[in-house]
Amino acid sequence: MTVTLQEAAHSAMALATKLFDEEGFLGPLWFINVGDRLAIVKGQFDGNDSKNAALALIRQKFGQDATRIIFVSECWMSSQQGSWNGTPPSECPDREEIIHLIAEDREGAQLVLTRKIERNKQGKPTLLPTETHDYKEIGGRFASFFDRSATTKH
């Protein structure tokens, strides 16, 4: 039985939710399909250099052979209108804390899932329901893992 990108994304979000509930935070996770195998890679970020290094290692190890990749992490999100002004979401006044999942496959299918994080006065987190987003194009450091020049976006 073939698992769809949507099914795989929701399964990855369920695991990410479980980890977040158990640990109170979520570090970066990659779910990478290579043929019929699934590799799960857990990372840790401490700035842009570590993000770039982790991504370079993922691309080096799996870039040629991966058929599907799902990246999920806790992060900040903001709703900026128009062109990006260069302000990181973590510095925007309208920022929201979320769990962000980007799923994509070599055939061009892409999917984004998010779960907003609300914290009480003591800082205890509560996850809101999963939201599915349908973007024309997914961009960013951890998106567009595959070369899209020869594929059609779904």
Side-chain angles (χ1 to χ4, degrees):
M1 179 173 87
T2 303
V3 176
T4 67
L5 183 65
Q6 185 169 357
E7 291 167 334
H10 282 280
S11 293
M13 182 61 88
L15 179 57
T17 297
K18 184 176 189 299
L19 291 170
F20 182 86
D21 287 342
E22 289 173 358
E23 299 177 10
F25 70 96
L26 181 67
L29 290 170
W30 287 266
F31 299 82
I32 305 164
N33 286 97
V34 177
D36 60 353
R37 294 185 348 247
L38 173 65
I40 301 175
V41 179
K42 187 174 183 181
Q44 182 177 340
F45 296 150
D46 61 2
N48 283 330
D49 288 344
S50 64
K51 291 175 184 178
N52 292 335
L55 186 56
L57 286 171
I58 295 290
R59 286 187 186 281
Q60 178 184 8
K61 175 117 176 108
F62 300 102
Q64 295 297 314
D65 301 321
T67 55
R68 175 183 291 164
I69 187 161
I70 299 172
F71 173 75
V72 61
S73 185
E74 186 175 348
C75 68
W76 293 105
M77 177 182 77
S78 68
S79 300
Q80 298 180 16
Q81 300 298 317
S83 298
W84 183 51
N85 65 10
T87 305
S90 61
E91 296 175 16
C92 292
D94 70 336
R95 69 182 177 265
E96 295 180 291
E97 189 178 11
I98 64 169
I99 292 179
H100 191 245
L101 180 147
I102 302 167
E104 54 188 324
D105 65 28
R106 195 169 287 282
E107 285 75 43
Q110 296 179 320
L111 176 68
V112 173
L113 303 177
T114 60
R115 291 196 73 178
K116 290 181 181 176
I117 302 168
E118 287 189 348
R119 294 187 183 269
N120 66 17
K121 290 180 184 178
Q122 293 76 34
K124 183 175 177 1
T126 300
L127 289 174
L128 300 183
T130 300
E131 297 178 32
T132 302
H133 303 274
D134 185 20
Y135 300 117
K136 289 181 186 175
E137 186 174 342
I138 301 170
R141 182 186 338 234
F142 298 105
S144 300
F145 184 80
F146 299 107
D147 177 13
R148 301 280 177 222
S149 60
T151 62
T152 304
K153 292 188 192 303
H154 297 238

